[in-house]
Amino acid sequence: MTDAGNIYLLPDPKKSEAEAAEWAARLEGGEMTPADHAAFARWRGESEQNHDAFERFSGLWDGLDRLEDLNAYNAAEDVPMKQPFLRRVAVALPALAAVLLAVVAIGALINRDVLETRSPRFAADYQTKVGGQEIVTLPDGSKLTLNTDSRIATEFTETERRVKLLRGEAFFEVAHDRSRPFSVYAGNGIVRAVGTAFSVRLNKANKLDVMVSEGRVALSAAKPRAGTQSASSPARTVMELTAGQSAVFSAEHVEILEHVTPNEIDRKLSWRVGMLAFAGEPLSDVVDEVGRYSDVDIEVRGDELRAMPIAGYFKAGEVEGFVEALHIMTGVEVTEVAPGHLVLSASK
């Protein structure tokens, strides 16, 4: 059982299917500890539903265990770059598997204007293009990973470490320094930490999606409520999040608060290694996420199709592989209605 690039339509959005998809992906990743294997065995033996759900997922990878041969096959393929889009995606499944599994070095597609100094004062801008990621080490030892089509501005002073997320998403690993709080400003919110690890995403509605993998952060409003605080007063903390919690934050309140397992955190942060992972999300959400890493526009027609749950791992930016795998696994029809514009529709 290998190729983590398959996408599989869940027959029903049940808990066991979502968990089976996650276990299959973790086993495929090859980083399971003995304790993880024991936990997997316990989960699989809990019910026939768990056992059968995992068998359905593992069956997708039967016959694809020769990874070296698959990658060699893919490297030998010489597909003209100027072929029409749908001809380029019409490849054999083994070749597709190799394409989806191949992990490439994350490109440093950035446009930066940097003023570096080892003094407490520091300012820099970083930006990634669509499909790019960038890892940055800041002078204090903090690290940030910038996702696709994202931009940040950083400013360190003697009393504060400030980052402004102007667009997109970033993951922060903050060096401990109580004398200089680390603050991320995005939209109308602020995420404050001292030493922790968390991700912040600024979505189209100017809301913040925050997930904490280590430590604790405080959420607050960037602007005080009229008549309640002066402009110089510290922002009011709305909520604190600890490791294993995520929230969608807007203005001065938290709209959604969720608890996430370590496995879910790893899955949601798989973009840091150039992969996208899903475990039962509706096709409409999957397409939105895929679209962040490519200039290709994908339209899904039909409410029933948009609600179809999808699970799988594949390489970010590989739209050709995504739609081809979707067609093979679910029968969804793919039509190129214009250059760079694809339509997904239910099979007739």
Side-chain angles (χ1 to χ4, degrees):
M1 178 183 78
T2 45
D3 180 25
N6 289 296
I7 294 177
Y8 179 63
L9 175 65
L10 294 174
D12 190 62
K14 299 176 183 177
K15 182 173 180 289
S16 59
E17 267 88 358
E19 292 175 344
E22 188 169 324
W23 278 116
R26 292 186 64 197
L27 287 163
E28 182 56 35
E31 297 182 356
M32 295 269 289
T33 66
D36 291 334
H37 281 285
F40 165 66
R42 288 193 298 271
W43 171 84
R44 192 176 182 183
E46 284 177 358
S47 67
E48 291 186 6
Q49 189 178 42
N50 287 355
H51 179 276
D52 293 344
F54 182 78
E55 288 300 310
R56 285 193 291 272
F57 276 94
S58 62
L60 291 174
W61 290 298
D62 285 349
L64 297 177
D65 293 325
R66 297 292 300 276
L67 294 185
E68 294 82 4
D69 291 345
L70 288 174
N71 281 301
Y73 178 89
N74 179 61
E77 287 291 301
D78 183 15
V79 182
M81 293 301 292
K82 294 184 179 180
Q83 286 185 348
F85 186 87
L86 290 181
R87 289 187 61 191
R88 285 189 279 120
V89 303
V91 295
L93 181 57
L96 170 67
V99 171
L100 298 180
L101 185 65
V103 178
V104 298
I106 298 175
L109 301 175
I110 62 170
N111 176 19
R112 67 172 72 171
D113 177 18
V114 182
L115 173 63
E116 292 199 24
T117 174
R118 287 297 177 181
S119 72
R121 303 194 68 85
F122 168 82
D125 290 350
Y126 302 90
Q127 179 174 331
T128 56
K129 297 179 180 179
V130 173
Q133 281 97 18
E134 170 72 355
I135 301 175
V136 178
T137 300
L138 300 174
D140 68 329
S142 297
K143 292 184 179 181
L144 62 88
T145 305
L146 207 57
N147 201 3
T148 175
D149 191 24
S150 301
R151 183 184 176 189
I152 63 168
T154 62
E155 181 181 4
F156 285 16
T157 68
E158 295 180 356
T159 58
E160 184 181 15
R161 296 171 290 173
R162 178 181 297 202
V163 175
K164 189 168 185 180
L165 180 62
L166 303 170
R167 182 176 70 247
E169 179 178 20
F171 178 75
F172 301 89
E173 298 170 274
V174 181
H176 187 82
D177 185 351
R178 288 191 176 275
S179 66
R180 288 196 298 169
F182 191 102
S183 302
V184 179
Y185 292 74
N188 294 322
I190 307 171
V191 184
R192 285 196 170 94
V194 174
T196 186
F198 61 97
S199 63
V200 181
R201 176 175 173 179
L202 181 61
N203 64 29
K204 295 178 180 179
N206 215 33
K207 298 176 182 178
L208 275 66
D209 191 337
V210 181
M211 183 171 63
V212 182
S213 57
E214 295 179 18
R216 179 188 299 267
V217 303
L219 306 180
S220 58
K223 296 180 181 180
R225 291 178 296 176
T228 60
Q229 292 176 310
S230 68
S232 60
S233 299
R236 181 180 65 88
T237 297
V238 177
M239 174 176 284
E240 289 191 350
L241 300 180
T242 59
Q245 290 185 318
S246 68
V248 175
F249 173 60
S250 176
E252 292 188 306
H253 67 282
V254 173
E255 297 185 359
I256 302 173
L257 174 64
E258 295 180 329
H259 293 274
V260 288
T261 66
N263 293 341
E264 290 174 313
I265 292 174
D266 289 342
R267 178 170 61 83
K268 291 182 178 182
L269 294 177
S270 60
W271 59 263
R272 295 181 299 167
V273 292
M275 302 294 290
L276 300 180
F278 304 99
E281 289 87 341
L283 179 59
S284 59
D285 290 353
V286 172
V287 165
D288 285 345
E289 187 66 13
V290 168
R292 298 177 60 207
Y293 299 83
S294 171
D295 292 326
V296 177
D297 181 38
I298 306 176
E299 177 185 352
V300 185
R301 293 183 178 174
D303 292 340
E304 185 174 352
L305 185 60
R306 281 191 284 269
M308 282 184 175
I310 300 295
Y313 269 49
F314 66 97
K315 197 174 77 172
E318 287 285 349
V319 177
E320 296 97 332
F322 168 71
V323 297
E324 178 68 9
L326 192 64
H327 172 71
I328 291 172
M329 297 301 170
T330 71
V332 168
E333 297 294 335
V334 183
T335 306
E336 186 176 24
V337 296
H341 185 183
L342 303 180
V343 171
L344 305 182
S345 56
S347 57
K348 299 179 181 179

